[in-house]
Amino acid sequence: MGLSAVAPLWGPPGLLLAIALHPALSVPLRRDYCVLGAGPAGLQMAYFLQHAGRDYEVFERAPRPGSFFTRYPRHRKLISINKRYTGKANAEFNLRHDWNSLLSHDPRLLFRHYSRAYFPDARDMVRYLGDFADTLGLRIQYNTTIAHVTLDKDRRAWNGHYFILTDQKGQVHQCSVLLVATGLSVPNQVDFPGSENVEGYESVSIDPEDFIGQNVLILGRGNSAFETAENILGVTNFIHMLSRSRVRLSWATHYVGDLRAINNGLLDTYQLKSLDGLLESDLRDLAILKDSKGKFHVTLKFFLEEASTNQSADAITLPQDDNDNFAMRVPYDRVIRCLGWNFDFSIFNKSLRLNSGNAFGKKYPLIRASYESKGSRGLFILGTASHSVDYRKSAGGFIHGFRYTVRAVHRLLEHRHHSVAWPATELPITQLTSSIVRRVNEASGLYQMFGVLADVILLKENAMAFEYLEEFPIQMLAQLETLTGRKARHGLFVINMEYGRNFSGPDKDVFFDDRSVGHTEDAWQSNFLHPVIYYYRYLPTEQEVRFRPAHWPLPRPTAIHHIVEDFLTDWTAPIGHILPLRRFLENCLDTDLRSFYAESCFLFALTRQKLPPFCQQGYLRMQGLMSTESLWQHRVESRLLRDDAPTGRDLEDSSQQPGDQELLGAPLAPGPLAQSLDSNKEEL
């Protein structure tokens, strides 16, 4: 589609004239990747593109990164935690509890260096994002507002079309891939009679002095509503909060976007009957009237519709006229709207088909589980605006979640356009258990994007080795081979983090007795976040993923294993965590994943048709665990070795220490097994 064909339909006055007077502006500047927005998600994608050496440009309307945080939250305190101390030195583990840092190779660019506060000030985030962009030298065009985005079909393009972006100066930019990281920036408004009398969260005063002795009604029940209430709680006569549904507490729903404890002081004053209160009603059924004294009254839209148009506001029927104990019968001095935010669709041509038209589609763009637009191939939504994939389920709408979904999108793009397969580590099957244990105890992406991103283990032929893929979007599992360039021909494991299915929700009592599980046989009933391993003999089909059981993140597997929840989220207990996991893996693979001394492998070679993988990959290749001094002595006493075998002192003087990963020159004669399998401890 040519620019001239769409120009009369869009743009501010004078933009078309500017292009006509400056023909050079109509010559597109070409980039492989265009990123809209230099907020956290845009900067994160820019880092990955730059690190991979790709051709990209970031467009930011403000003069610096993170412009959203220069104004929001209005009262300047972030609700993303900044846990600077965990008792661990592992950087990946520490990111589990760092909700503000972006991913990079530079340890200086961790948010812990920018604030000591557990709930930091928004100005620290602005400073951090500016340093992130400057230190890494990211390519950003500041003071550049993209006014319109459309498509130009071209068979030579990567996706069959180019994205044509026009900025406020009329300059045209042509992109092969468009990455939208503009967040949610349009205040959500509900149209009802009297809505023009309502002040918005985005503009209301934040000076408590302006609310002294006032009656205040707040519309909404999210964090912005409670943040506003918390700021004026000590100076108002009372605050009433009105919303369509009941309050959802994040500690009950396990969803970080619900009401956080830092802002919920009004819940105390409501439940302890100190004048403040919460009410539920659909705003579309109400009306707000202003009387002759400038006070606001809440009435039913029904009464307003019955009244003649020439009646004054003071003459319209109010609910208390019929019901003298109506909850909101007292007039209000101010009404404040705190109803959240929507995505800005205004700059996108309808040909991109970003909006689904339904109520949810007005808040978020229409995208797939791969974060790609359903209407336009090559258009990806990043950051807060991509939260429709895991809305109210995981942390994809927040920095500590979308820093990992952005990385997943980049890996998908690397394979699609540059033939770079999804990163994977190939290891012998003997390291399967330890690989899983390490990831579930350290990985931050798995931990924060539970139920959305999962590790995938692809088994090699005869299950003697495996490839480990990290943080793949599990709803795209059926397309894994196409999206990653990896083959899943011999079975696979999927490692996911999950809460108990009946544990979370606004109507759940999450503090009930016996809320946690401690026995391994009850692991499947674990309530708190815990690892779940799915085993499939074959890669699930798209139909199986689509029609999976209700509330299951994945199709029904061949076998499933829950690692029992742990109070410390430390799944390293030899008996409680590792042994049941290893046995599950062994049952799935029909093999023995234990490690053995050389003499045990020698005994197996004489008595078994199939050796354990450890013996196949170690002992038969002249590698393995060296014997200990006690085993040497045992062989001497059994007359399997001469008495001139190395003594303890000889072993100490030798370059080969007991326990080194090296086998002696010749296979050792078999003897009684050093380990008894009479108990779990001895088996380990």
Side-chain angles (χ1 to χ4, degrees), residues 222-374:
N223 281 295
S224 62
F226 278 87
E227 168 202 335
T228 302
E230 194 78 15
N231 184 52
I232 59 177
L233 199 59
V235 298
T236 56
N237 295 333
F238 60 79
I239 301 172
H240 289 168
M241 192 172 289
L242 179 66
S243 62
R244 182 177 56 187
S245 58
R246 60 177 290 182
V247 171
R248 296 188 180 99
L249 303 170
S250 61
W251 48 258
T253 62
H254 300 109
Y255 172 58
V256 69
D258 284 335
L259 178 60
R260 304 290 300 286
I262 185 178
N263 287 325
N264 67 11
L266 188 137
L267 295 182
D268 272 1
T269 57
Y270 168 47
Q271 291 291 346
L272 299 176
K273 300 308 292 180
S274 185
L275 299 180
D276 305 309
L278 302 178
L279 296 157
E280 287 83 38
S281 179
D282 193 330
L283 296 180
R284 293 169 295 186
D285 296 332
L286 304 178
I288 294 179
L289 305 175
K290 188 175 183 180
D291 64 20
S292 58
K293 298 180 181 180
K295 302 287 186 177
F296 299 106
H297 299 265
V298 176
T299 187
L300 299 176
K301 189 193 300 185
F302 172 77
F303 292 150
L304 193 64
E305 292 171 347
E306 282 191 335
S308 59
T309 55
N310 58 358
Q311 284 183 309
S312 65
D314 297 276
I316 293 176
T317 302
L318 297 175
Q320 54 264 36
D321 296 334
D322 294 332
N323 181 5
D324 60 5
N325 68 340
F326 176 61
M328 292 185 288
R329 59 185 179 271
V330 179
Y332 297 96
D333 296 293
R334 307 178 82 147
V335 182
I336 305 172
R337 166 182 43 78
C338 301
L339 299 175
W341 308 90
N342 293 330
F343 182 77
D344 185 2
F345 293 93
S346 64
I347 68 172
F348 297 96
N349 188 275
K350 291 184 178 180
S351 62
L352 276 72
R353 296 180 292 173
L354 268 180
N355 195 332
S356 64
N358 58 30
F360 193 67
K362 294 179 181 178
K363 184 175 181 67
Y364 293 109
L366 194 61
I367 59 176
R368 305 179 190 278
S370 61
Y371 303 93
E372 186 171 20
S373 166
K374 290 185 176 181

Side-chain angles (χ1 to χ4, degrees), residues 424-545:
T425 304
E426 183 169 341
L427 296 168
I429 201 68
T430 52
Q431 297 186 30
L432 180 59
T433 306
S434 60
S435 296
I436 295 175
V437 170
R438 180 183 62 83
R439 285 289 294 172
V440 300
N441 281 286
E442 296 178 1
S444 177
L446 278 182
Y447 194 83
Q448 297 296 358
M449 289 306 297
F450 55 89
V452 179
L453 300 180
D455 286 0
V456 180
I457 295 172
L458 304 178
L459 298 172
K460 294 293 190 177
E461 188 173 4
N462 297 323
M464 292 301 294
F466 63 92
E467 287 184 324
Y468 202 111
L469 284 65
E470 298 178 359
E471 297 160 21
F472 181 79
I474 57 176
Q475 296 308 310
M476 304 301 294
L477 185 62
Q479 303 176 38
L480 180 140
E481 292 186 338
T482 303
L483 296 176
T484 66
R486 305 290 177 178
K487 299 300 180 183
R489 303 289 174 79
H490 307 286
L492 65 153
F493 292 96
V494 180
I495 295 89
N496 189 32
M497 301 292 287
E498 300 177 15
Y499 280 98
R501 293 192 178 93
N502 298 313
F503 186 49
S504 304
D507 57 341
K508 302 291 185 181
D509 176 14
V510 294
F511 296 107
F512 66 91
D513 291 337
D514 299 323
R515 58 186 173 269
S516 62
V517 172
H519 300 291
T520 56
E521 59 268 24
D522 299 323
W524 63 279
Q525 294 180 309
S526 294
N527 286 316
F528 287 93
L529 194 65
H530 63 285
V532 183
I533 294 87
Y534 296 75
Y535 171 63
Y536 298 93
R537 289 195 178 96
Y538 307 100
L539 189 66
T541 65
E542 290 192 36
Q543 186 175 14
E544 289 172 335
V545 172

Side-chain angles (χ1 to χ4, degrees), residues 103 234-235 319 438 449 551 622-623:
L103 305 178
V235 298
R438 180 183 62 83
M449 289 306 297
H551 308 298
M622 303 299 290
Q623 299 173 354

